[in-house]
Amino acid sequence: MTRQPGPEAPRSTRPTGPLSLTAVLALLALLSTLFVLSAPGARAADGDPAVSLSKKEAGKGGEITVSGSGWRPDALLMLLICGQSTPERGVIGGTNSCANADGRAVTTDRKGAFSKKLPVTEPPKPCPCVVHVATVTGEQALADAVFTVAGHPTADLPRQGGDGRLAVLATTRLEGDSSLLTWFGAPPARRLVLTVGNLGSDPVEDPVFEVGTAHGVYAPQWEERQWRGTVAPGGKARIELPVELSAGAHGDYQVSLRYGDKVLAEQPWGVGRPWGVTLFWVLLCLVVPAAVFRIGMAVVDKVRPRPAGAHRLRRPTATPAVIAETKANTNTNATTAVLPWFTPDSAPSENRPRPTTKGQA
């Protein structure tokens, strides 16, 4: 009797032996990914800068802790409490809406994180308020966190004039002259003058510009400059903004003007060398060695050894009357010595009695 082959039993897919090399490598890759994602600061380093607060609300005189991550390593940051601001619209009015006098500065660590205590003060503008964190130097980066100052007035944000657009209508120029102090190293200063026009349908009130100065291949350093006034739709205005460099600056500079995210104008500025400083250092290099040489010669003259007999006391200086009397006595002695017919005994003297003549008693 022949046995008919029946259906084969299903084979087990569970490995019975050791894991394969491919499975081990896949498991190691998965564990490395999980470790990187769970490491502190790894996720923030790949994303945008972030800010967190220990408290969302506090009154004047209190204190909060501001923490951040995702910033550039070893970056200098500025921490401010600003009014009339939201994270969506930013700080309206620039840093004029912030409590600048009570701000704090902090430097991030190597991972781009920081933690700093910030005193709670009332900003010059009403709430809504934020804690504004921005870089001071280098590439600009900023982040805002919602914060409420207890007891501070609250007002609606100004209407967003999205249709107000500024454009430069005339060539920009730098006005002003250097003073005598600039020749000796004082900070050079000018006025950036330009004419702007409002191409939108909404007025632009008290616009905040950013003036940047760049030297050589370096990136410009931006500073906020607010212009007080209103540019009506279709109107134009003449704007003057101060520009100042650091003390002793010289060479070729580039002055840029930015409004929002758009650079409106750029103007070259050639700053002369402060030759007064050079002249001062040249004179200092001549006068100081000469004075040191004179002092050294005086010291050498005091401490050098004297020849024999030179240590005797000097005679006191005689007055003119004594000198004249000495000369007279010297002349008399010389005359007496020259006349040989006079001897000390036969010399006339006032004490001897005069001889009597005949007829006199």
Side-chain angles (χ1 to χ4, degrees):
M1 180 176 176
T2 305
R3 176 181 245 176
Q4 297 294 333
E8 297 181 357
R11 296 180 180 179
S12 176
T13 59
R14 185 178 61 182
T16 58
L19 293 177
S20 63
L21 180 61
T22 305
V24 172
L25 294 178
L27 181 60
L28 291 177
L30 180 60
L31 292 176
S32 301
T33 304
L34 294 176
F35 175 77
V36 171
L37 292 177
S38 61
R43 183 179 302 174
D46 297 336
D48 296 333
V51 176
S52 60
L53 307 177
S54 60
K55 299 178 182 179
K56 295 296 183 180
E57 181 178 355
K60 179 181 178 181
E63 192 176 59
I64 60 174
T65 301
V66 183
S67 304
S69 58
W71 300 83
R72 293 197 317 270
D74 300 327
L76 181 61
L77 306 180
M78 174 182 60
L79 283 64
L80 297 172
I81 295 180
C82 304
Q84 196 175 270
S85 309
T86 59
E88 294 77 17
R89 293 187 57 179
V91 180
I92 302 175
T95 55
N96 293 329
S97 303
C98 306
N100 299 313
D102 299 303
R104 292 293 184 269
V106 65
T107 303
T108 59
D109 56 16
R110 295 181 179 180
K111 297 182 180 180
F114 71 91
S115 180
K116 184 72 173 180
K117 292 185 177 181
L118 180 66
V120 178
T121 55
E122 295 184 351
K125 298 292 184 177
C127 284
C129 302
V130 298
V131 173
H132 180 69
V133 182
T135 54
V136 178
T137 58
E139 184 181 356
Q140 187 177 18
L142 54 89
D144 298 327
V146 178
F147 182 70
T148 302
V149 181
H152 192 60
T154 303
D156 296 333
L157 295 177
R159 187 172 64 90
Q160 186 174 3
D163 295 334
R165 295 178 298 162
L166 295 181
V168 178
L169 303 181
T171 305
T172 60
R173 62 185 184 276
L174 292 172
E175 294 184 353
D177 297 325
S178 299
S179 61
L180 181 62
L181 296 178
T182 306
W183 199 67
F184 285 95
R190 293 291 189 274
R191 295 189 311 274
L192 182 64
V193 181
L194 69 157
T195 302
V196 299
N198 188 358
L199 305 181
S201 59
D202 292 336
V204 178
E205 299 180 358
D206 299 336
V208 178
F209 298 93
E210 289 182 301
V211 178
T213 54
H215 182 53
V217 297
Y218 294 99
Q221 301 293 330
W222 299 98
E223 295 183 1
E224 292 183 349
R225 296 286 188 270
Q226 186 174 19
W227 181 75
R228 299 290 182 179
T230 302
V231 184
K236 61 181 181 179
R238 184 175 184 269
I239 296 177
E240 296 184 5
L241 301 174
V243 183
E244 185 176 356
L245 302 178
S246 59
H250 62 278
D252 296 330
Y253 284 81
Q254 185 81 10
V255 180
S256 305
L257 180 67
R258 183 170 66 181
Y259 179 69
D261 298 332
K262 181 180 179 182
V263 177
L264 300 180
E266 293 181 347
Q267 181 70 24
W269 183 9
V271 184
R273 181 180 295 272
W275 292 107
V277 179
T278 305
L279 179 61
F280 169 78
W281 285 111
V282 170
L283 294 177
L284 188 65
C285 293
L286 294 177
V287 173
V288 171
V292 172
F293 176 76
R294 294 290 298 273
I295 295 173
M297 293 302 297
V299 173
V300 169
D301 185 65
K302 291 290 185 182
V303 301
R304 68 177 180 176
R306 302 290 181 178
H311 62 279
R312 296 179 181 178
L313 296 177
R314 296 181 179 179
R315 296 180 179 179
T317 305
T319 61
V322 175
I323 294 175
E325 183 179 356
T326 304
K327 289 183 177 180
N329 296 336
T330 303
N331 294 335
T332 304
N333 296 335
T335 304
T336 304
V338 170
L339 299 177
W341 56 86
F342 286 109
T343 61
D345 297 335
S346 61
S349 175
E350 296 180 355
N351 298 329
R352 293 182 178 181
R354 295 181 180 179
T356 58
T357 58
K358 187 178 181 179
Q360 294 181 355

